[in-house]
Amino acid sequence: MLWVQSTEDLPQWGIKKGDRFPFYVVDAHHHMGRENTHQNTPPRAYEFYSLLWFELQKMASEMHDADALRFLPVEVGPVESVGRVFNIRDHWHNNSHGWLVDRTIVFPYTDDYCKHGFPENASFHVSNDRIFRWTTQAPHSLRLIGFARIDPLDDENGRPGLAVGELERAILTLGLRGLKLHPLAQLFVDQLDQPVVRGVVRRAGELGIPTLFDSRNIATVERISEMVQTIQEEQRISSRWPRVILGHCGMSPGSPRLYEFLSHPLIFGETSTLHGKDVPLLFESAHDNIHDPAHRWSEKLIFGTDYSFLSVQAADVILYLLSRDFPGDPSDIQRILAGNALSLVGRPFAPAARSRKRPRQFLLSESVSGLSVEIIQRAAETADALGWRLASLDFMRPPDGTWVSPDSFASGENGVYRDSCVMSLQRDGVLVHLWLRPQPGGGYCIGVVYVGRKHRVVTTESYAHGANESLSALLNASSMLLSSIDDLMLEIRRALS
Ligand SMILES: [Zn+2]
């Protein structure tokens, strides 16, 4: 998280000069693997974030001298419970740095493993496997969210069904949580309006995952937007429509058409490549010209770095958000830095799984509160000791279409609910969601959900009762009241044994 300090009284948001509070940061565009001279791994990513923080501080001090900053960046560090989990093992602890960024959406390059085994395997089969291995075991699983990469032309150059088959494997078997498409690198710019590409994007919508396009000019953006509209005509069920992120949307911040496309409720923009004077141009134009009936303007823009193709220019974007020139409030900043990406990913790690075991629920009595950090740490230790793979830790967030109000920031609440999460654990093909929630009057509720066809935590939205009605009923029917965290750990141990 990025801790900032207010440089002035901001009574409209209940913030006083000197108040410190954290922003949660997600990098929504990041490559991992190997492509020619480019090579990136999780430890290198964290080193990059350390470098980015170093550069950002240097630039911040110049801006602060010129009295340009509303919020001065003062410190970075992990969410406390995440930092504790990184301390469980020494080699995990070695990766606990570069905490300017909390979570990173990673996907393959057009990498050196591309086309291994083709056409038996899809072009990105090996690359997607590597993303899976990096992103679904501790400690990296606490920091990375894996997206699949697909070459839609696999269907023409390999065999029919290859591309969509790989997408389904990546999402349903591996548990990756989004799709990255690159029309230029995979040479399908001219087929963007054809069924071979549209079918892949349409399937991504049906699977409930976002699609991030590399889109470096407005002509490509226009074709993507037309494709989205065609899918809307073909697919009548709105919950199955694809949500599309325009990677590098900042390459044409001066084009009025960009904001027309971003006004479409299914189209979002990601900020990598943006730098210098283009930064204020993009955000001011977005503020004035995005008219999306379903979203506030700041819900449509998403922070990303495009490391390793790009590097420290991402600091320009962060510092602009913290400057007096930014036309929004702390809630807008938090949406752009993390909230929008988390909402688009939308759900915890959950590949298809088939357990039929009944869920359990434990209530830790109301005298016990302020313990979420210890519960998360000890549950992770217990699971690790029993041979479970910690595949993800996903914090809950406000319901879709909302975010916390600007006046919650002074108290440290930024909309990423650090005391409420889903811990995803995998062992021998079994997936368990440990679902921690604070109770309204004090105390905690801990669900143990053996993920199967019927039961899973389907969303990271908090208070999403409706989505889980039958699960909630089963959990409540099995509730057991406990009075100490030791008792809770005994029960969790029993449930995972
Ligand atoms: Zn990229």
Side-chain angles (χ1 to χ4, degrees), residues 188-478:
F188 61 89
V189 179
D190 292 332
Q191 278 114 317
L192 272 170
D193 49 0
Q194 289 172 26
V196 67
V197 178
R198 198 162 72 235
V200 172
V201 178
R202 190 172 146 169
R203 188 72 187 118
E206 291 164 2
L207 291 166
I209 56 156
T211 300
L212 191 150
F213 271 94
D214 183 289
S215 55
R216 51 192 67 201
N217 60 57
I218 206 74
T220 311
V221 170
E222 178 163 19
R223 297 178 103 154
I224 293 169
S225 140
E226 282 167 7
M227 170 178 52
V228 168
Q229 289 172 41
T230 306
I231 296 173
Q232 281 184 290
E233 284 155 21
E234 290 171 350
Q235 167 62 264
R236 306 309 266 189
I237 306 168
S238 61
S239 62
R240 311 187 102 205
W241 286 342
R243 293 157 302 145
V244 165
I245 305 166
L246 306 172
H248 317 306
C249 83
M251 286 185 96
S252 21
S255 165
R257 305 215 59 203
L258 176 64
Y259 307 96
E260 282 171 34
F261 298 127
L262 287 173
S263 294
H264 190 291
L266 297 173
I267 297 180
F268 300 79
E270 177 267 323
T271 64
S272 61
T273 65
L274 205 59
H275 63 280
K277 290 208 173 76
D278 282 351
V279 180
L281 179 60
L282 178 87
F283 286 100
E284 283 163 19
S285 307
H287 174 267
D288 294 343
N289 300 315
I290 291 181
H291 304 288
D292 174 343
H295 299 93
R296 186 177 161 81
W297 72 273
S298 62
E299 284 178 75
K300 306 305 299 277
L301 296 172
I302 294 169
F303 172 72
T305 65
D306 199 13
Y307 189 76
S308 64
F309 293 114
L310 296 167
S311 146
V312 295
Q313 47 270 72
D316 284 358
V317 173
I318 296 176
L319 287 170
Y320 175 75
L321 298 176
L322 303 180
S323 76
R324 295 188 204 284
D325 293 333
F326 176 66
D329 61 39
S331 197
D332 294 316
I333 298 173
Q334 184 59 93
R335 281 172 146 130
I336 293 162
L337 284 179
N340 301 332
L342 295 175
S343 296
L344 280 167
V345 170
R347 54 194 192 191
F349 174 81
R354 302 171 160 258
S355 179
R356 293 176 152 205
K357 237 171 137 175
R358 288 173 77 83
R360 305 284 315 275
Q361 177 166 278
F362 306 104
L363 295 174
L364 201 51
S365 69
E366 50 194 81
S367 58
V368 186
S369 41
L371 283 183
S372 61
V373 171
E374 195 179 343
I375 293 172
I376 293 168
Q377 177 197 344
R378 290 184 60 182
E381 273 168 357
T382 302
D384 184 53
L386 291 170
W388 290 81
R389 216 156 44 85
L390 177 45
S392 191
L393 180 68
D394 296 293
F395 293 107
M396 306 309 267
R397 59 180 168 88
D400 281 343
T402 71
W403 202 259
V404 296
S405 65
D407 55 15
S408 70
F409 283 79
S411 64
E413 182 57 78
N414 57 24
V416 178
Y417 299 131
R418 280 101 73 196
D419 56 358
S420 184
C421 65
V422 177
M423 187 184 290
S424 301
L425 303 168
Q426 269 187 323
R427 191 180 73 180
D428 304 331
V430 178
L431 174 63
V432 169
H433 280 161
L434 271 190
W435 187 16
L436 171 68
R437 285 166 292 169
Q439 293 293 87
Y444 293 91
C445 173
I446 299 96
V448 182
V449 182
Y450 305 91
V451 175
R453 286 163 70 146
K454 279 192 187 153
H455 300 305
R456 62 181 56 211
V457 182
V458 295
T459 170
T460 48
E461 284 178 84
S462 76
Y463 316 115
H465 299 296
N468 292 292
E469 245 168 64
S470 79
L471 176 60
S472 296
L474 271 179
L475 286 169
N476 290 336
S478 76

Side-chain angles (χ1 to χ4, degrees), residues 171-183:
I171 306 308
L172 301 174
T173 307
L174 302 181
L176 302 186
R177 291 191 263 180
L179 168 63
K180 163 75 190 287
L181 294 177
H182 200 315

